[in-house]
Amino acid sequence: MKTNLFAAAFAGALSTLVAFGASARDVKHELGTTTVPDQPQRIVVLEYSFVDALAAVGVAPVGVADDKKRERIISAYTDKIGQDWVSVGTRKTPSLEVIASLGPDLIIADKTRHTAAYDTLSEIAPTVVFDSLGGDYPSAIAQLEAIGAAVGKADEMKSRVEAHKAKMTEISAQFEKAGDYKIQFGVTNAKGLWLHSPVSYNGSLLKGFGFASGMKPTNGAVYESNYVKTSLEQLSAVNPDILILGRYANPSFADGWKGEALYENISAVKNDRVFYVEAHVWSRLRGMVAAEMTANDLQGIMTQVQN
């Protein structure tokens, strides 16, 4: 069943890839169709997942919305793209002036964060828009052929995606009893806990591996449906068998619940199945390379759970 879920996700991704089109000149994306150079040389990317995509095919951007923190571009990326990019500011509000100063011939932007700036970005350079922040894991895979076409690396991206599919299917086969566990990932900082729902990138990735979820679907914007701010009472109702947390602060807000009866009675807590992972990799990156890193972490977690 788990492998079938991944096969279904990849089949859906493939149909979307065909819809996006593989031309390196006309690229269909979330906000329309954009004509891009056959071999763009000066690419600006406004989300980490797009850095991930470029790294997957060895293309170096000239500008990155790195939140003014170059260390957030992890070594798995810099090993492929180098470190010569210029920071264009934060992902939420990148500097249009800095972007323009780089003379880009392609901009890759996010649907949720940058739709309002799309017309302005398009005046600077051909701009393609994909759903990173609000998209799920199958969508992240589906976007890659269009991104590969846009950067002139269609064949290389196709090969890389096929290798990714094989790796993830192989890992999925190792989780024979995944359906027996309700699993939950969330991030916590000094001020709160946000659970990643089944429609989020990581939630859908865990679902693809066959794990169950105790979260109920919610409607609304991205931070209401995908990344849900959660109280102790709400976490207790979700009651995961395995709780995976990424901490942006240590100690974190969630650490303050230790010792409280509601927290101690959560199944994952009672059975010593609370695990801590790198929040940046699991939460912010949302790309193919990041998914493989997440899967490797999950293998280690499940080895501990099942032994």
Side-chain angles (χ1 to χ4, degrees):
M1 182 64 177
K2 301 176 292 301
T3 304
N4 288 342
L5 282 169
F6 263 93
F10 288 138
L14 180 60
S15 66
T16 305
L17 290 173
V18 173
F20 271 109
S23 169
R25 179 166 295 277
D26 292 322
V27 177
K28 186 175 180 182
H29 56 94
E30 293 283 354
L31 299 184
T33 300
T34 296
T35 301
V36 305
D38 288 333
Q39 297 290 331
Q41 300 298 309
R42 301 187 62 78
I43 303 169
V44 172
V45 290
L46 303 183
E47 256 295 351
Y48 296 132
S49 65
F50 307 141
V51 180
D52 187 297
L54 266 58
V57 291
V59 173
V62 298
V64 175
D66 58 10
D67 293 329
K68 301 180 182 179
K69 298 178 180 179
R70 296 181 70 87
E71 68 276 10
R72 288 189 176 180
I73 308 304
I74 60 174
S75 61
Y77 301 158
T78 58
D79 287 348
K80 302 295 185 181
I81 67 171
Q83 301 192 43
D84 293 335
W85 74 87
V86 173
S87 173
V88 300
T90 66
R91 292 169 296 149
K92 185 176 181 180
T93 56
S95 170
L96 299 177
E97 290 184 358
V98 175
I99 293 171
S101 74
L102 294 174
D105 50 13
L106 176 66
I107 299 169
I108 307 178
D110 174 65
K111 179 182 178 182
T112 301
R113 297 190 194 275
H114 309 126
T115 291
Y118 175 67
D119 289 343
T120 303
L121 290 169
S122 297
E123 291 176 0
I124 297 171
T127 300
V128 292
V129 177
F130 301 101
D131 193 3
S132 176
L133 182 63
D136 59 14
Y137 166 72
S139 297
I141 300 304
Q143 295 163 5
L144 291 174
E145 186 172 320
I147 293 174
V151 302
K153 295 285 186 178
D155 291 342
E156 293 90 335
M157 186 68 83
K158 181 177 180 181
S159 295
R160 183 63 180 83
V161 169
E162 289 300 322
H164 173 74
K165 292 179 185 179
K167 178 179 178 67
M168 298 301 275
T169 300
E170 179 183 356
I171 292 174
S172 179
Q174 299 175 27
F175 302 144
E176 290 296 331
K177 297 183 179 180
D180 295 342
Y181 299 99
K182 289 190 299 181
I183 195 167
Q184 184 59 55
F185 170 68
V187 295
T188 178
N189 58 21
K191 298 182 179 179
L193 169 70
W194 287 261
L195 296 185
H196 289 216
S197 80
V199 301
S200 70
Y201 169 86
N202 263 306
S204 61
L205 178 58
L206 294 170
K207 180 179 178 181
F209 281 126
F211 292 99
S213 172
M215 287 190 75
K216 296 180 180 179
T218 56
N219 296 320
V222 168
Y223 283 97
E224 296 169 329
S225 61
N226 291 35
Y227 313 116
V228 183
K229 191 169 185 180
T230 304
S231 66
L232 175 55
E233 289 75 14
Q234 291 166 327
L235 178 61
S236 176
V238 172
N239 193 29
D241 300 308
I242 301 169
L243 179 60
I244 304 174
L245 293 176
R247 287 189 287 206
Y248 288 124
N250 191 9
S252 71
F253 182 84
D255 289 321
W257 292 334
K258 293 177 181 179
E260 295 194 28
L262 270 180
Y263 182 77
E264 298 298 334
N265 283 322
I266 293 170
S267 177
V269 178
K270 286 194 298 184
N271 294 300
D272 197 24
R273 291 174 177 168
V274 180
F275 300 93
Y276 297 94
V277 295
E278 179 59 50
H280 180 59
V281 172
W282 274 65
S283 180
R284 293 192 184 113
L285 301 185
R286 297 189 299 274
M288 177 168 58
V289 176
E292 293 170 359
M293 297 173 71
T294 297
N296 289 336
D297 287 344
L298 193 58
Q299 284 181 292
I301 288 170
M302 291 309 297
T303 296
Q304 295 181 62
V305 168
Q306 295 173 345
N307 285 345

